[in-house]
Amino acid sequence: MNPDHEQAEKAQAFQNAADQEARLLLKRPGLKLSQEAQELLLRSVSNATALENLRENFVESNGINELYPLYISRDMGKESIDLEGYDFQIVEGVATFCGFNDSNTHLRVLAPEWNIDKYYLGRITEDYKSLVHMNALRLSAYHEGVAEGDSEIGSASTKTGEVLDRLPQNISEKEFRALQNRMLYSVLEFTEEEGHLKNNTSVVLLLEWRGRRLLFTGDAEWDGKGMEEGRKNCCWDVMYGIPEVKKVLLNPLDYFKVSHHGSINGTPFEKQGFQKIVEKMVIPGRTEVVVSTKWGTHNKKNPIPSVNIMKDLGSLAKNKRKYPHDPDDQLQNEYQPQRTDQEPDLPDDTARYVETVFEPVD
């Protein structure tokens, strides 16, 4: 997100708080975390460095043109953004970049929406059940409408690391440890929630090239609840809920990059979502489906990639294949989309990608 984006101020305050809490926990001496919890915190901490590299270091070291970076959204044409120097149009309500050497090539931006706070963060109120939202209430960005005396509750949030390591005199050690564990859980939940926010502000791009349609979905998530103004919405639900985007999205694809590494919440998967969305895009005999993933790096409850999603997409994909040595024995005899983690290594074994070749449609 653009650090100067006025309609993402709350989302960025939320992210900054999660990053600060994660750093404090990782510095805490003697803290033993599960692999999953540690990866969650490290992802939060590394994000700021990654963004700095993209915005500054990458540009300088590669001599990239001064128009970079451009923070894009589906409805960016409605905002006061300086687009001088770009061959940019709004086509059927969707931001579209032209100006390629091939005049039959267009790049459409299907997500995110410009107003990030409104669509992807939603209202934060005290009636939310999750403890994470109580933490969000403590941020200065959410102090509107809170009595001045009540705003002091915010001081505890930024000092979690200190509180966890200090045994107060007015509480028993047992009670303190219980409180300590609850605060640890709260920070982990806070960081996980912030991870969903990152995923759902993914840039979703549709590349149209000589009659071919290639969809790149990033880490976009889906929860099947539909889109509602003022609520925390998922990226797929927002795209499906905006008529202009839905009209462009629900057409046959030649290439589909599966979102969020094939996770259960990365593709419109429930029957309703699969039939209404995926089956209109992924066409047997036409659509190449690719999953960028790595088996065994996430929790066992909802493993990535999802067995059911791999089976269902494998039944439709033009490039379906079987991986007899799949680490998950449920998939060893099933057709799947093409997966980066199961394809043979290339000479440079630090890279994991698959090649897909398209001929233009005359």
Side-chain angles (χ1 to χ4, degrees):
M1 285 180 279
N2 182 348
D4 300 321
H5 189 354
E6 292 180 356
Q7 291 177 308
E9 287 183 347
K10 293 182 180 180
Q12 291 187 105
F14 192 89
Q15 288 190 338
N16 291 338
D19 177 74
Q20 184 178 23
E21 299 285 14
R23 289 177 186 277
L24 287 169
L25 274 184
L26 288 169
K27 289 179 180 178
R28 185 181 164 209
L31 180 65
K32 294 182 179 180
L33 296 169
S34 68
Q35 180 182 353
E36 184 184 359
Q38 190 169 20
E39 287 178 356
L40 177 67
L41 293 171
L42 286 171
R43 279 200 301 273
S44 177
V45 167
S46 65
N47 189 58
T49 303
L51 291 177
E52 182 183 355
N53 284 330
L54 282 172
R55 288 172 177 148
E56 299 175 16
N57 302 339
F58 181 72
V59 185
E60 292 175 5
S61 60
N62 290 276
I64 293 177
N65 134 358
E66 62 184 11
L67 296 175
Y68 178 96
L70 176 67
Y71 298 95
I72 60 178
S73 70
R74 189 276 308 181
D75 53 344
M76 61 191 293
K78 299 176 183 177
E79 306 302 327
S80 56
I81 304 170
D82 183 6
L83 291 168
E84 186 178 351
Y86 296 96
D87 192 339
F88 171 84
Q89 304 172 30
I90 294 288
V91 180
E92 297 178 324
V94 175
T96 303
F97 290 89
C98 309
F100 295 90
N101 291 335
D102 185 335
S103 61
N104 294 311
T105 301
H106 306 91
L107 191 65
R108 299 198 191 205
V109 183
L110 304 188
E113 293 299 299
W114 181 257
N115 194 333
I116 287 170
D117 287 343
K118 172 183 173 181
Y119 283 96
Y120 307 107
L121 189 65
R123 292 183 294 265
I124 302 295
T125 60
E126 292 192 21
D127 60 358
Y128 274 67
K129 295 179 182 178
S130 174
L131 188 58
V132 63
H133 295 104
M134 294 304 296
N135 274 331
L137 276 170
R138 294 169 179 159
L139 302 178
S140 59
Y142 293 99
H143 283 167
E144 301 97 333
V146 177
E148 185 174 345
D150 294 338
S151 64
E152 293 179 3
I153 61 172
S155 60
S157 177
T158 58
K159 297 182 179 179
T160 302
E162 298 173 23
V163 174
L164 286 172
D165 289 322
R166 190 169 61 244
L167 181 62
Q169 300 302 309
N170 60 345
I171 187 174
S172 71
E173 183 173 354
K174 181 179 179 180
E175 289 173 326
F176 176 71
R177 296 307 170 198
L179 174 64
Q180 181 183 52
N181 290 335
R182 185 177 178 185
M183 293 179 74
L184 171 60
Y185 172 78
S186 174
V187 172
L188 291 172
E189 189 182 6
F190 193 57
T191 306
E192 183 174 16
E193 189 82 357
E194 184 263 343
H196 290 303
L197 176 61
K198 285 196 187 94
N199 290 344
N200 285 305
T201 53
S202 286
V203 173
V204 177
L205 298 174
L206 178 68
L207 177 63
E208 296 171 315
W209 172 73
R210 297 191 185 183
R212 299 289 192 188
R213 287 168 39 92
L214 292 78
L215 183 65
F216 301 88
T217 55
D219 280 334
E221 293 187 7
W222 153 267
D223 67 7
K225 295 178 181 176
M227 186 187 70
E228 182 179 316
E229 188 171 328
R231 187 182 67 194
K232 185 188 72 174
N233 297 291
C234 285
C235 186
W236 277 103
D237 300 85
V238 172
M239 289 193 291
Y240 188 73
I242 295 175
E244 298 94 326
V245 182
K246 181 180 177 180
K247 182 179 178 181
V248 174
L249 185 67
L250 298 191
N251 289 291
L253 296 171
D254 294 280
Y255 176 92
F256 175 43
K257 185 271 178 186
V258 178
S259 56
H260 203 205
H261 314 291
S263 70
I264 191 68
N265 64 336
T267 301
F269 182 64
E270 289 97 341
K271 288 295 181 186
Q272 187 181 33
F274 204 82
Q275 291 169 356
K276 284 186 175 181
I277 300 177
V278 179
E279 289 184 352
K280 293 188 183 324
M281 300 189 307
V282 181
I283 310 301
R286 172 171 175 171
T287 310
E288 304 261 352
V289 182
V290 172
V291 188
S292 173
T293 192
K294 184 178 181 182
W295 184 87
T297 60
H298 294 269
N299 61 63
K300 294 180 180 179
K301 181 181 178 182
N302 293 310
I304 294 180
S306 162
V307 170
N308 290 333
I309 288 180
M310 293 303 96
K311 288 181 180 179
D312 278 16
L313 287 174
S315 70
L316 299 176
K318 177 183 177 181
N319 57 338
K320 63 185 178 185
R321 58 202 60 207
K322 292 183 179 181
Y323 296 109
H325 302 293
D326 194 304
D328 194 319
D329 55 13
Q330 299 179 77
L331 289 171
Q332 289 174 357
N333 198 38
E334 299 286 345
Y335 282 112
Q336 299 184 58
Q338 201 167 4
R339 284 172 48 179
T340 56
D341 63 333
Q342 297 304 309
E343 290 294 308
D345 283 337
L346 295 166
D348 177 4
D349 60 8
T350 63
R352 283 278 191 179
Y353 64 89
V354 294
E355 294 184 0
T356 305
V357 179
F358 293 101
E359 295 295 331
V361 176
D362 294 330

